[in-house]
Amino acid sequence: MDKYSYISNAELGSIDELYQSYLKEEESVDVSWQKFFEGFEFARKDFESNGKIPQAVSKEFKVVNLINQYRSRGHLFTKTNPVRERRKYSPTLAIENYGLEQSDLDTVFQAASEILQKPCTLREIINMLEKTYCQSIGVEYMYIRSPDRLAWIRQRLDKNFNTPKFSDKLRRYIFTKLNHAVVFENFLHTKYVGQKRFSLEGAESLIPAIGSAIESGANLGIEQYVIGMAHRGRLNVLANILNKTYEEIFAEFENKEYGDALFNGDVKYHQGYSSNIVTDSGKHVHLSLAPNPSHLEAVDPVVLGVAKAKLDRDHNNDYNKVAPILIHGDASISGQGIVYELIQMAQVEAYGTGGTIHIVVNNQIGFTTNYYDGRSSTYCTDVAKVTLSPVFHVNGDDVEAVVYATRMAVEFRQAFHKDVFIDLLCYRKYGHNEGDEPRFTQPLLYKAISKHPNPREIYVKKLMKEGIVGEELANEMEVRFKRLLESRLSDAKEEKEAKVTSFMEGKWRGMRESLADDFLKSPETGVPKANLLLVAKALYTVPKGKKFFRKMEKVFGDREKMVLKTDKLDWGMCELLAYGSLILEDYTVRFTGQDVERGTFSHRHAVVKLEDSEEEYVALNNIKEGQQAKLNIYNSILSEYAVLGFEFGYAMASPRVLTIWEAQFGDFANGAQIIIDQFIAASEDKWKRMTGLVMLLPHGYEGMGAEHSSARIERFLNLCAEDNMQVVNCTTPANFFHVMRRQLHRKIRKPLIVFTPKSLLRHPDCVSSVGELASGCFQELIDDETVKADKVRKVVFCSGKIYYELMERRKEEKKDDIAIVRLEQMYPFPEVKFDKVIAKYSNAKEHMWVQEEPENMGAWGFVLRTYRKVNFTLSARTLSSAPASGSHERFKRRQAKVIDGAMK
């Protein structure tokens, strides 16, 4: 078919494009258009002689306009709502609104050639348009700017008039899936009356939709699906898609205790699961359902992070092999801002996964809020327009239409590697949960829902009418499945404890859960000097034939001087050496965040630009010739919530990759608090899911005001328990080097929260030697080796950059009776080492904690409740609602007061 068979837009500009091509070469357009333009040419010549456009020609263009209106606005007039009348939109698609009349219905128009490949009457044109655009599937796609994608969608819609024509075998598959979905929900409802399960009833067609997506996608090359969803319908998806056994699910309803006493677990409708299945066509597919909290849509970026990790790790970033599926609610997809952040990440290199299949379970209600109070947009899926993604609105009662739209969406995703949305219009049979009464707030709606047949009943009638399934077989399938469920329930009642899904398999094989001894002493993480020098050479060598900005050439020179002359390595150099040494050991480093390539404070320069071409050069990816691991570092979009969630998912699926997220300033992590609270701090305790994600949070009081001083140390320490994560505030580049390497040199994985410096990046005393990197390990506590223990009357404990100010003041005042001890790792708290320091300074009369932060912030509260063997005094800013003052002069006075208090 020639390139003009499907035009990019049916407006007059596109008709003119066809016309101009016709004038140059008649054969360049389809035969039907040739005939159309022959008539137009005749009319044009007639107009030149008579001065009038023939009515027939004028109406041809009105028909073209009508066709275009159906394509653009037909979705507003579909039969997609199973329980409510659709809102009214104006103008309607009545032909009178487009300059046509009832008397034109039997007139043959050439314009039909563009959709029916031959001239047809207006009546035939309208019938075709109604079937294609205004039945159980409404399609939004005309805003797409790509001619290829527009043509693809239009061709698929015109085929069969956007109406499913499935084989009997596929229809039986659909019915089996629907039967399982409906009967499973009914069974739970009768056996566990009043228990929360967040039923799928009213939206059971979701199950055959996902099942057919997996089947058809596997035939198109997809080998792994990563699925994310909230609580509604989750148990049904676990049972009837991922094949989690019915016994396991029933055991959770029976409130069995977990066998692992150290594992708190989570409610049954938050749990994740993974399985391997074989499709009907014999394809082997891996399915993963990510665990999620109650915070709606929070799991979305986690799912995409997992998918990205699988693409990078297993498939050389071949988008055809891994597909994410996100199942949303109508209220949450339109109300939760994280969805917009995620959509903006979809086509960015750092986060690309080849397109997500979005399915919205559109209950038309959010808890008790009606849809018209829940959004301003026409559709809950209007966020799809941000990335010009097509949307298929489909009636959940028409299960074949649901499957048809889903299969088309999967094919679109595989063809173009773009996001695609399915708006599954359905209803929620009960309230927000099974104990909630929806008639308080939607009495009329729930009166209609109570009388409405379920999707299985509707489909059975259709199949019986068409002779596909008999009544006896339909009843038998229901009875047989109920019998199976009864048997599995009986087995579940015999179980003594609920099962915990293990994750120490696959890529996690060789890892283990942590032990108390793991935190008594860090492992050796020194690097042979020859390797350090090899990495350093890559960092300071200007590659031949490449010209850099003059200031960047100075950075190369400074690096060389540090290594070969002064042996004083600053923070940025030690950081890059840590990454380079891991790369030489064949570990990949993934690093994202706002402006991380250069570094917010211009200290990293991991990616440098050529002066004339802006070509990028990454020194750490050129350490040696031939194969080596990579530093994959990307500046992120201006988001914390979605980006941190993505990196959590990536780290969860990649235990042998150093995955790092850096905040531009530490307090920017506030924007991702849900990810921190629900995933980073608690995923191991709730779901037995570990991660080695690293968070770098610039922190320190330097007079920059309330927003850029504190990374909120106190918030992270309040989340610490049961060795769930590591919190450090290093004072030397070498210690930072070792803690980053430690992250991959243990058999356990824990999140690492690092409060990183700002002014220390260029502080003349904050340097380390090559020798300090070549041997040793991370030091959780650094004692004061500059004083004599028996003379010490006061031991000052601190963390972070205030150490250097304390040392400077002590030197000025020539005090030798104050020891300054640095707590480098706040959690897990190094109690044994702390005990030794306390014992060493046995003559000390005072033990003081010193911090820059106000008394109600920082580590003070944590230290006070964690170590109670001595009575600490405190030198800190007074209680404050804001972390710091906006006045630089006030900052200096307050900082001096803190130092004064420590030196008394």
Side-chain angles (χ1 to χ4, degrees):
M1 193 169 284
D2 67 80
K3 64 179 180 178
Y4 293 109
S5 294
Y6 292 91
I7 57 177
S8 63
N9 197 316
E11 296 176 353
L12 296 182
S14 297
I15 300 292
D16 182 62
E17 183 183 340
L18 284 172
Y19 177 55
Q20 296 303 324
S21 297
Y22 167 81
L23 291 178
K24 293 176 183 177
E25 183 182 350
E26 291 184 8
E27 299 299 323
S28 66
V29 301
D30 189 76
V31 174
S32 58
W33 281 107
Q34 291 177 36
K35 294 186 179 299
F36 177 82
F37 289 128
E38 284 175 11
F40 177 77
E41 276 294 291
F42 174 80
R44 183 183 63 78
K45 291 173 182 176
D46 188 58
F47 172 75
E48 289 174 354
S49 60
N50 298 321
K52 293 182 179 180
I53 298 177
Q55 187 180 28
V57 173
S58 175
K59 289 204 171 183
E60 287 282 1
F61 283 99
K62 290 175 180 177
V63 172
V64 168
N65 186 33
L66 177 66
I67 293 170
N68 183 52
Q69 288 298 312
Y70 266 93
R71 287 169 169 166
S72 300
R73 300 179 65 247
H75 57 86
L76 297 172
F77 307 98
T78 54
K79 300 166 184 173
T80 49
N81 199 320
V83 291
R84 279 176 164 161
E85 279 195 27
R86 291 213 56 180
R87 286 183 284 184
K88 306 300 181 185
Y89 297 93
S90 181
T92 67
L93 296 173
I95 59 174
E96 291 79 6
N97 291 326
Y98 303 97
L100 296 164
E101 302 168 359
Q102 292 295 314
S103 58
D104 296 320
L105 286 173
D106 294 316
T107 302
V108 175
F109 288 95
Q110 292 288 334
S113 303
E114 208 268 324
I115 49 177
L116 292 168
Q117 280 69 55
K118 64 179 181 179
C120 292
T121 65
L122 180 58
R123 191 185 306 276
E124 291 172 313
I125 294 170
I126 292 171
N127 285 340
M128 185 281 299
L129 292 171
E130 284 288 328
K131 286 182 180 178
T132 304
Y133 293 101
C134 298
Q135 298 303 306
S136 291
I137 304 173
V139 189
E140 287 187 278
Y141 71 103
M142 289 293 283
Y143 44 75
I144 294 174
R145 297 170 190 157
S146 162
D148 289 344
R149 276 179 275 156
L150 271 173
W152 188 94
I153 294 172
R154 188 171 298 160
Q155 185 177 23
R156 290 304 310 274
L157 297 179
D158 288 348
K159 182 181 180 181
N160 298 334
F161 304 132
N162 196 25
T163 303
K165 290 186 177 179
F166 293 146
S167 67
D168 290 352
K169 179 182 178 182
L170 179 54
R171 298 174 86 182
R172 290 190 187 97
Y173 167 84
I174 294 170
F175 178 61
T176 300
K177 281 291 184 185
L178 190 59
N179 181 66
H180 287 173
V182 172
V183 176
F184 178 72
E185 293 292 354
N186 290 340
F187 186 83
L188 292 178
H189 188 67
T190 56
K191 296 297 182 182
Y192 299 103
V193 178
Q195 275 207 46
K196 285 185 183 181
R197 70 179 195 278
F198 296 98
S199 159
L200 188 61
E201 287 174 86
E204 294 98 331
S205 55
L206 175 69
I207 299 303
I210 299 175
S212 64
I214 292 168
E215 290 281 342
S216 61
N219 292 332
L220 295 171
I222 299 174
E223 297 177 4
Q224 298 190 62
Y225 289 89
V226 188
I227 306 170
M229 66 183 299
H231 37 278
R232 185 157 315 285
R234 189 181 191 88
L235 298 179
N236 214 313
V237 170
L238 282 165
N240 294 315
I241 296 297
L242 283 96
N243 297 334
K244 183 174 182 177
T245 68
Y246 298 116
E247 303 98 286
E248 290 180 80
I249 293 173
F250 296 152
E252 290 165 353
F253 275 98
E254 294 293 322
N255 296 315
K256 303 288 186 180
E257 183 60 270
Y258 292 107
D260 186 344
L262 300 178
F263 171 60
N264 275 325
D266 200 352
V267 291
K268 50 191 167 289
Y269 39 81
H270 287 172
Q271 297 289 355
Y273 199 75
S274 62
S275 61
N276 296 303
I277 68 166
V278 180
T279 67
D280 284 356
S281 58
K283 299 289 194 302
H284 291 263
V285 177
H286 182 75
L287 306 178
S288 300
L289 177 65
N292 71 288
S294 285
H295 295 73
L296 298 174
E297 308 293 346
V299 76
D300 297 356
V302 176
V303 166
L304 297 197
V306 171
K308 182 66 172 177
K310 289 174 179 285
L311 282 164
D312 287 350
R313 184 189 68 208
D314 301 330
H315 302 289
N316 196 27
N317 213 29
D318 182 352
Y319 289 157
N320 289 311
K321 301 297 185 183
V322 180
I325 299 176
L326 292 179
I327 302 169
H328 311 269
D330 54 309
S332 59
I333 193 174
S334 55
Q336 292 293 315
I338 191 172
V339 178
Y340 181 84
E341 294 181 32
L342 193 69
I343 297 300
Q344 286 288 15
M345 293 163 63
Q347 297 300 316
V348 176
E349 180 187 0
Y351 311 105
T353 57
T356 299
I357 301 162
H358 300 266
I359 304 175
V360 182
V361 178
N362 189 344
N363 297 312
Q364 308 176 62
I365 191 170
F367 205 145
T368 66
T369 303
N370 277 311
Y371 68 90
Y372 45 77
D373 293 324
R375 63 177 185 266
S376 297
S377 59
T378 301
Y379 294 114
C380 62
T381 52
D382 279 349
V383 70
K385 296 180 176 68
V386 172
T387 48
L388 306 178
S389 302
V391 181
F392 298 91
H393 305 279
V394 58
N395 190 323
D397 273 357
D398 188 344
V399 66
E400 288 191 11
V402 173
V403 169
Y404 186 82
T406 305
R407 288 162 68 96
M408 198 187 314
V410 173
E411 291 171 20
F412 177 88
R413 188 267 179 191
Q414 288 299 89
F416 299 105
H417 298 133
K418 305 287 184 183
D419 283 19
V420 59
F421 289 73
I422 300 157
D423 179 14
L424 178 61
L425 283 107
C426 49
Y427 56 92
R428 189 187 67 196
K429 187 171 181 179
Y430 306 108
H432 176 67
N433 60 62
E434 287 65 34
D436 189 48
E437 176 50 76
R439 289 176 178 82
F440 285 138
T441 50
Q442 281 83 25
L444 291 179
L445 174 62
Y446 274 85
K447 188 176 182 180
I449 288 173
S450 67
K451 300 174 183 177
H452 194 76
N454 65 49
R456 181 187 183 278
E457 292 168 338
I458 294 169
Y459 196 43
V460 164
K461 286 183 180 179
K462 179 177 181 177
L463 295 180
M464 287 171 59
K465 184 178 179 181
E466 297 177 19
I468 306 299
V469 173
E471 183 177 5
E472 185 177 340
L473 176 60
N475 292 337
E476 183 186 338
M477 289 175 67
E478 180 178 6
V479 170
R480 192 164 57 234
F481 187 54
K482 281 183 179 177
R483 198 176 295 134
L484 172 68
L485 295 177
E486 288 283 4
S487 173
R488 297 297 180 263
L489 175 59
S490 178
D491 293 341
K493 290 179 182 293
E494 297 298 320
E495 292 286 344
K496 293 183 179 179
E497 59 189 39
K499 293 181 180 178
V500 180
T501 304
S502 173
F503 74 100
M504 295 295 188
E505 300 170 359
K507 300 301 176 182
W508 280 87
R509 190 168 284 113
M511 300 290 161
R512 59 172 174 80
E513 296 182 51
S514 62
L515 305 170
D517 290 352
D518 290 319
F519 303 103
L520 293 177
K521 187 180 187 307
S522 293
E524 291 291 319
T525 46
V527 177
K529 186 174 181 180
N531 284 2
L532 291 170
L533 295 178
L534 180 62
V535 176
K537 186 175 181 180
L539 290 169
Y540 64 66
T541 301
V542 179
K544 293 180 180 179
K546 297 186 184 295
K547 182 171 176 55
F548 296 96
F549 179 49
R550 181 170 51 83
K551 288 184 179 180
M552 191 62 234
E553 290 181 346
K554 182 180 183 302
V555 170
F556 282 114
D558 290 344
R559 289 172 177 174
E560 184 175 18
K561 184 179 178 182
M562 287 182 215
V563 175
L564 300 184
K565 293 183 180 179
T566 65
D567 197 22
K568 293 181 178 180
L569 310 181
D570 67 11
W571 197 280
M573 189 63 175
C574 286
E575 177 186 11
L576 293 173
L577 286 170
Y579 305 150
S581 66
L582 289 169
I583 287 169
L584 280 184
E585 294 166 1
D586 206 31
Y587 290 110
T588 294
V589 178
R590 176 181 168 85
F591 195 159
T592 72
Q594 294 158 24
D595 310 296
V596 298
E597 294 179 5
R598 189 202 74 174
T600 299
F601 311 104
S602 200
H603 70 288
R604 183 172 295 121
H605 296 291
V607 178
V608 295
K609 302 287 183 75
L610 271 64
E611 185 175 41
D612 299 325
S613 66
E614 292 197 3
E615 175 191 340
E616 294 185 344
Y617 177 74
V618 182
L620 289 180
N621 290 339
N622 293 274
I623 299 173
K624 62 180 184 179
E625 293 184 7
Q627 289 278 359
Q628 66 161 75
K630 296 287 185 181
L631 168 66
N632 297 319
I633 185 167
Y634 307 95
N635 291 335
S636 74
I637 70 166
L638 196 62
S639 152
E640 291 83 34
Y641 188 178
V643 169
L644 182 59
F646 189 101
E647 299 310 327
F648 174 87
Y650 195 101
M652 188 168 67
S654 304
R656 289 171 177 80
V657 173
L658 183 64
T659 306
I660 308 167
W661 176 78
E662 180 177 61
Q664 192 176 71
F665 287 88
D667 58 320
F668 285 14
N670 292 346
Q673 198 65 48
I674 289 173
I675 298 297
I676 295 166
D677 291 350
Q678 301 300 325
F679 291 93
I680 293 172
S683 64
E684 185 176 356
D685 194 34
K686 291 192 295 186
W687 310 313
K688 270 193 174 291
R689 293 296 185 268
M690 294 184 186
T691 175
L693 177 66
V694 178
M695 293 177 64
L696 302 183
L697 306 175
H699 173 88
Y701 282 55
E702 285 123 354
M704 296 183 70
E707 268 65 61
H708 294 331
S709 297
S710 175
R712 297 287 190 173
I713 289 174
E714 66 280 357
R715 291 184 180 172
F716 287 92
L717 292 176
N718 280 338
L719 292 170
C720 290
E722 303 172 307
D723 296 334
N724 62 330
M725 56 185 178
Q726 308 153 106
V727 179
V728 305
N729 191 3
C730 304
T731 55
T732 72
N735 222 23
F736 178 66
F737 170 92
H738 286 294
V739 81
M740 296 300 280
R741 285 182 50 77
R742 183 183 76 173
Q743 197 66 356
L744 292 181
H745 279 269
R746 293 190 294 192
K747 294 295 184 181
I748 62 171
R749 292 291 179 265
K750 300 282 182 178
L752 173 63
I753 316 301
V754 186
F755 297 103
T756 55
K758 294 173 288 182
S759 61
L760 292 190
L761 296 173
R762 294 175 176 83
H763 195 291
D765 294 334
C766 187
V767 292
S768 298
S769 67
V770 172
E772 290 175 278
L773 310 187
S775 62
C777 62
F778 174 71
Q779 300 178 70
E780 292 83 0
L781 192 74
I782 300 180
D783 193 8
D784 190 341
E785 303 296 341
T786 65
V787 293
K788 293 182 179 180
D790 58 350
K791 289 186 176 182
V792 170
R793 64 172 178 84
K794 182 177 186 178
V795 183
V796 168
F797 293 90
C798 66
S799 185
K801 70 100 175 165
I802 199 171
Y803 163 77
Y804 290 91
E805 294 167 75
L806 292 169
M807 289 293 286
E808 184 179 0
R809 176 68 72 83
R810 191 180 72 174
K811 183 178 180 182
E812 288 175 4
E813 297 184 6
K814 298 180 180 178
K815 291 182 181 289
D816 60 1
D817 58 353
I818 297 177
I820 303 174
V821 181
R822 288 168 275 175
L823 180 60
E824 301 281 291
Q825 177 173 289
M826 289 171 273
Y827 193 82
F829 189 79
E831 184 174 2
V832 173
K833 293 184 177 183
F834 221 86
D835 289 342
K836 290 180 179 178
V837 168
I838 296 294
K840 175 183 174 181
Y841 301 108
S842 58
N843 294 333
K845 304 300 182 184
E846 183 179 6
H847 301 89
M848 174 178 278
W849 177 260
V850 179
Q851 66 179 34
E852 302 177 294
E853 300 84 6
E855 181 180 344
N856 57 316
M857 301 178 194
W860 166 238
F862 170 79
V863 171
L864 202 59
R865 68 176 179 268
T866 301
Y867 196 83
R868 304 183 184 186
K869 299 176 182 178
V870 296
N871 293 319
F872 285 104
T873 55
L874 174 69
S875 183
R877 284 169 167 76
T878 58
L879 298 168
S880 176
S881 57
S885 169
S887 163
H888 193 74
E889 288 303 312
R890 185 171 294 180
F891 155 75
K892 289 196 293 185
R893 289 199 305 272
R894 289 176 174 175
Q895 191 78 351
K897 188 176 179 180
V898 172
I899 305 300
D900 291 343
M903 291 296 112
K904 288 180 181 178

